[in-house]
Amino acid sequence: MIAYAIRRILVGIVLLLSMVLVVFVLFFASGNPAKSVCGKFCTPEKLTQVTKVYGYDQPITTQFGEFIQGLAVGRDYPVNDAYRAALEKSNPDLVIHCAAPCLGYSQHDAATVNADIAKYAPVTISIAVFAFIFWIFFGVFFGVLAAVFKGKWLDRILVGVTLVVYALPTFFVGTFLLQYVAIKWQLVPYPTYVSIADGGVGGWLVGLTLPALTLALFYMAAYVRITRAFVLESLSEDYIRTARAKGLTERVVLFKHGLRAALTPLLSMAGLDFAALLAGAVITESVFNYQGLGLLAVIANQNSDLPVLIGLVIVAGAAVIIMNILVDILYAFVDPRVRLR
Amino acid sequence: MSRPFLSVANLAVHFPTSDGLVRATDGLSYTLERGKTLGIVGESGSGKSVSSSAILGLHRGTNAQVSGEIWFDGTDLLSLSDEDMRRRRGKDVAMIFQDPLSALHPYYRVGDQISEAYLAHNQVSKRVARARTIEMLDRVGIPQPDRRVDDYPHQFSGGMRQRVMIAMALINDPILLIADEPTTALDVTVQAQILDLLQELQREFNTALIMITHDLGVIAEIADDVLVMYAGRAVEYGATRDLMTQPAMPYTWGLIQSIPDVTRSVDLPLRPIPGNPPSLLNQPPGCAFFARCEYAQFVPGDRCATTLPDLLPLSDGHLKRCHLDHDLASYAVVETGAI
Ligand SMILES: Nc1ncnc2c1ncn2[C@@H]1O[C@H](COP(=O)(O)OP(=O)(O)OP(=O)(O)O)[C@@H](O)[C@H]1O
Ligand SMILES: [Mg+2]
């Protein structure tokens, strides 16, 4: 079990490193990143200097090595040693230490990428977690309901409604909730993000409700159908017939034997979808104008802020890989057949 | 005369599907007394499992249309309420399913799955049920039952899983046991052990046993009576000895000829029955076996193709569904197609 976990983590690290390499090559192949830093009134001399100060004159292998080193042990900016040494003396405030895992430095924001992400991440994580709870709870609940009432009117309504919801674009749902539910009908206060520190858990939850709902609806609709399919499949298995043949009540047959097998594969799907959800929060954040990672990505893109974009891609990739590992390990606990493999 | 212990009368199980009505079982009747064994044989898809599951009421809650009567120990099981049927399932009537790997729940320990059957019908603590489970595992010949009780189904071999299924079915001492191909896919020695075990348990509790198989060799060994099914119907029914020595329906004869070791000398080649059973959808009007039958030539006219023969007595207690008037030995068939 432990050996299995360690092996998975090692494989995960290798995967992450290869991902960083690909991202690195792709971004740096697209031109000298110093250009965007140099600004509008860039002279060739200034460009050369900037390129040198930020280490963009180094071969890409060196840059990659240093980046990985930064991820592992942290690093200091600006990266050019001679320049930094001079700066230490003249203006030590401008030398910035970026602790491990250092994701880079945004010249545009004059801040480490870690600091940028740390600033925007809480909003996104809050929305995603809240949406996840919404979506799993209602998705599974209605999915089981639809399966149990298969072919009856309740099932048909649920399947019909989820089909419609599934087809609605996220920005449409978000705009509707914002314009009507919040502004016109004033059923909920105008949504703004309030951190737990500022507004307590209550304020935090209220602020998250609409964005989380917006984000959750699409997944919820998908999960109603997936859950329904899994439960129906499980209920048609031979072991369900065995359970009935033992004389168990229908309730035990459904909840103990049927759901156990149906919901276990759902676990792994949900884990992976959660990682994707983090990335998918972009549209929701922009509709509600919440300061999350999605917004950070949009801003960084507008500013051609390559270090931030790289950092975001790495964080998103790491989230997916980590969830993958967690799910696999969790799966080994819930499914006796995968143990010790 | 009192009613037999088990009497299935005119049982039909039909499945409405998008392609039409699947008549998986039609007009099926048989009886069985306590302590006796009825063998049900027939090719894959002939309706053996479907008709037997009807005794446990396993088609309830599905779209299957079940009709007829199943008199068991004085009650018609088909007229029981769902709750009354549930109380009898697994207690008075139990079933050993074919393919134990898929019939056992992959996520639960075998011990828990077995004791669940005991707890469903007995007001006892989990500890008592566990002790009873270990005792049953021991009885069916699982070594170190107190350790294996906590294993999962996938940790058992095929033969051991089959024993687990048997332990589960027998834990409430049922008076009727349906064993659905309990020895298929097991090697010959294990097969013999399982059959011995079933017979031993049957003697001990005076259980009525329905043994479903497509292996006439198994039937010859343990069954008192045999019911041969073809395309959802009984085609021959009688005492095992009569049926094996004087088969009256060409299909039965075909089955006997395809057994390697019973009632045949070594120099006669094995003769598989050519062709495939018909679809249960849109069944042709005549005899379902007509298209594969080598004896149809002895029936005058086109009765085999147009008229479904009734299940009629050939001699006392030996029924056949065939237009031929005598037993098969009196017809001379040129043995074609022998390999
Ligand atoms: N739920 C169902 N819906 C439609 N058709 C079904 C259903 N269940 C069984 N059948 C059909 O009924 C027929 C009889 O099936 P059954 O399982 O009784 O065969 P069997 O004699 O037990 O065969 P085997 O030896 O392979 O176990 C098959 O043709 C099968 O396709
Ligand atoms: Mg079967």
Side-chain angles (χ1 to χ4, degrees):
Chain A
M1 185 74 226
I2 291 178
Y4 173 77
I6 290 175
R7 203 167 67 235
R8 283 309 313 263
I9 290 169
L10 287 180
V11 170
I13 290 174
V14 171
L15 233 117
L16 198 58
L17 284 182
S18 356
M19 193 188 71
V20 173
L21 177 63
V22 170
V23 170
F24 216 79
V25 170
L26 276 180
F27 277 76
F28 280 77
S30 64
N32 183 353
K35 264 198 194 121
S36 71
V37 183
C38 185
K40 245 182 194 156
F41 309 104
C42 192
T43 60
E45 295 75 36
K46 194 174 167 204
L47 183 63
T48 318
Q49 195 205 1
V50 170
T51 305
K52 198 167 167 206
V53 167
Y54 293 115
Y56 294 138
D57 56 337
Q58 301 293 320
I60 190 163
T61 45
T62 314
Q63 289 190 44
F64 181 70
E66 284 179 353
F67 186 82
I68 296 298
Q69 198 184 347
L71 274 177
V73 297
R75 63 198 290 208
D76 293 312
Y77 286 97
V79 293
N80 184 300
D81 291 333
Y83 185 77
R84 193 173 63 245
L87 207 60
E88 277 303 348
K89 291 205 186 79
S90 62
N91 210 342
D93 287 352
L94 292 181
V95 175
I96 291 174
H97 178 68
C98 174
C102 179
L103 294 169
Y105 178 80
S106 164
Q107 291 81 22
H108 188 276
D109 298 344
T112 60
V113 172
N114 300 41
D116 265 350
I117 289 178
K119 193 164 109 202
Y120 289 91
V123 173
T124 302
I125 292 175
S126 301
I127 295 178
V129 168
F130 205 175
F132 184 73
I133 293 169
F134 255 129
W135 128 44
I136 291 297
F137 183 81
F138 289 107
V140 170
F141 178 77
F142 288 125
V144 171
L145 218 57
V148 171
F149 289 93
K150 186 197 170 201
K152 308 267 165 56
W153 60 266
L154 182 61
D155 175 39
R156 286 177 196 187
I157 290 177
L158 281 170
V159 168
V161 168
T162 52
L163 198 67
V164 173
V165 171
Y166 191 74
L168 290 178
T170 305
F171 77 87
F172 175 80
V173 175
T175 313
F176 171 79
L177 289 178
L178 184 67
Q179 295 300 329
Y180 285 85
V181 178
I183 298 175
K184 194 151 175 210
W185 301 330
Q186 305 204 332
L187 297 176
V188 290
Y190 186 83
T192 42
Y193 179 75
V194 188
S195 70
I196 297 184
D198 293 342
V201 175
W204 178 68
L205 286 179
V206 168
L208 288 173
T209 309
L210 287 193
L213 199 60
T214 305
L215 189 53
L217 271 177
F218 173 82
Y219 285 95
M220 209 193 292
Y223 269 65
V224 169
R225 317 205 93 204
I226 296 167
T227 307
R228 179 180 180 276
F230 279 177
V231 171
L232 286 179
E233 189 189 318
S234 163
L235 288 182
S236 69
E237 294 282 355
D238 283 356
Y239 51 75
I240 295 296
R241 191 186 53 191
T242 310
R244 288 216 174 91
K246 284 190 246 185
L248 304 179
T249 58
E250 277 305 303
R251 200 169 41 92
V252 175
V253 170
L254 172 69
F255 286 100
K256 188 172 170 196
H257 292 257
L259 290 195
R260 172 68 197 270
L263 299 188
T264 307
L266 211 64
L267 177 81
S268 64
M269 295 187 66
L272 301 183
D273 282 343
F274 177 70
L277 187 71
L278 283 171
V282 181
I283 298 170
T284 311
E285 284 168 13
S286 70
V287 169
F288 289 90
N289 198 20
Y290 275 37
Q291 314 273 310
L293 291 179
L295 198 68
L296 178 63
V298 171
I299 296 171
N301 193 40
Q302 277 163 5
N303 298 333
S304 304
D305 196 347
L306 286 179
V308 170
L309 289 176
I310 293 178
L312 282 172
V313 171
I314 291 172
V315 167
V320 171
I321 290 172
I322 290 170
M323 283 312 289
N324 247 312
I325 295 174
L326 279 182
V327 160
D328 281 354
I329 291 174
L330 208 60
Y331 214 94
F333 276 104
V334 292
D335 186 343
R337 289 169 301 180
V338 299
R339 240 162 238 179
L340 304 171
R341 220 188 271 155
Chain B
M1 203 181 100
S2 71
R3 213 185 274 282
F5 176 65
L6 174 71
S7 163
V8 172
N10 220 356
L11 177 69
V13 183
H14 295 171
F15 298 100
T17 66
S18 48
D19 300 328
L21 194 64
V22 174
R23 296 168 195 271
T25 299
D26 238 332
L28 189 66
S29 304
Y30 57 81
T31 60
L32 180 61
E33 295 297 346
R34 284 200 76 159
K36 297 287 185 197
T37 300
L38 170 71
I40 300 184
V41 269
E43 272 165 306
S44 191
S46 55
K48 306 181 297 291
S49 302
V50 164
S51 57
S52 310
S53 322
I55 299 174
L56 277 84
L58 291 178
H59 299 301
R60 287 165 188 249
T62 72
N63 64 348
Q65 301 163 350
V66 183
S67 62
E69 289 168 26
I70 298 175
W71 289 91
F72 168 71
D73 207 12
T75 33
D76 178 13
L77 296 180
L78 290 184
S79 65
L80 285 183
S81 71
D82 285 353
E83 178 58 15
D84 287 342
M85 185 68 237
R86 182 191 69 72
R87 281 182 218 276
R88 302 203 127 202
R89 234 181 250 151
K91 184 165 184 288
D92 303 332
V93 198
M95 185 154 174
I96 300 166
F97 292 100
Q98 67 190 103
D99 191 5
L101 183 59
S102 62
L104 289 167
H105 201 298
Y107 295 157
Y108 292 113
R109 297 172 198 279
V110 295
D112 293 343
Q113 297 190 51
I114 298 173
S115 30
E116 203 178 25
Y118 194 62
L119 288 165
H121 301 287
N122 299 279
Q123 305 295 323
V124 294
S125 70
K126 284 205 167 143
R127 279 210 19 237
V128 174
R130 186 183 160 88
R132 167 85 181 160
T133 300
I134 295 174
E135 182 196 322
M136 284 310 293
L137 287 176
D138 192 34
R139 289 229 44 195
V140 298
I142 289 185
Q144 297 180 298
D146 48 337
R147 292 235 326 263
R148 300 310 304 264
V149 70
D150 289 323
D151 281 349
Y152 289 92
H154 70 273
Q155 292 167 310
F156 285 80
S157 68
M160 287 294 155
R161 272 198 288 266
Q162 195 57 267
R163 285 163 200 257
V164 168
M165 286 302 294
I166 295 175
M168 185 188 287
L170 292 177
I171 195 161
N172 292 311
D173 303 333
I175 47 181
L176 171 62
L177 179 65
I178 302 168
D180 193 350
E181 307 195 19
T183 57
T184 314
L186 298 182
D187 64 62
V188 188
T189 35
V190 183
Q191 180 170 335
Q193 287 169 8
I194 301 255
L195 290 181
D196 284 348
L197 176 69
L198 282 174
Q199 284 184 290
E200 186 192 319
L201 296 165
Q202 177 183 26
R203 269 194 296 278
E204 185 175 338
F205 297 106
N206 200 23
T207 307
L209 175 63
I210 296 179
M211 170 64 72
I212 301 173
T213 176
H214 44 239
D215 182 352
L216 266 181
V218 171
I219 297 289
E221 211 168 304
I222 72 165
D224 300 293
D225 292 335
V226 195
L227 177 80
V228 181
M229 286 189 74
Y230 190 78
R233 293 176 186 274
V235 294
E236 188 160 0
Y237 177 39
T240 307
R241 200 169 4 91
D242 294 349
L243 204 129
M244 298 293 259
T245 52
Q246 295 170 299
M249 161 77 194
Y251 176 62
T252 312
W253 178 231
L255 285 180
I256 293 172
Q257 281 184 306
S258 54
I259 323 171
D261 53 356
V262 186
T263 69
R264 45 183 301 114
S265 60
V266 205
D267 48 322
L268 272 172
L270 275 185
R271 282 168 42 87
I273 306 173
N276 289 311
S279 154
L280 298 175
L281 283 165
N282 313 318
Q283 292 182 26
C287 173
F289 190 60
F290 169 60
R292 300 166 75 185
C293 184
E294 290 174 326
Y295 289 80
Q297 49 176 311
F298 300 112
V299 176
D302 56 358
R303 278 164 71 214
C304 287
T306 55
T307 321
L308 177 71
D310 289 327
L311 192 65
L312 293 173
L314 173 79
S315 60
D316 193 29
H318 186 169
L319 304 171
K320 65 168 174 68
R321 189 187 290 283
C322 185
H323 289 307
L324 295 171
D325 296 322
H326 310 288
D327 73 58
L328 296 179
S330 43
Y331 300 95
V333 171
V334 189
E335 302 231 333
T336 52
I339 302 166

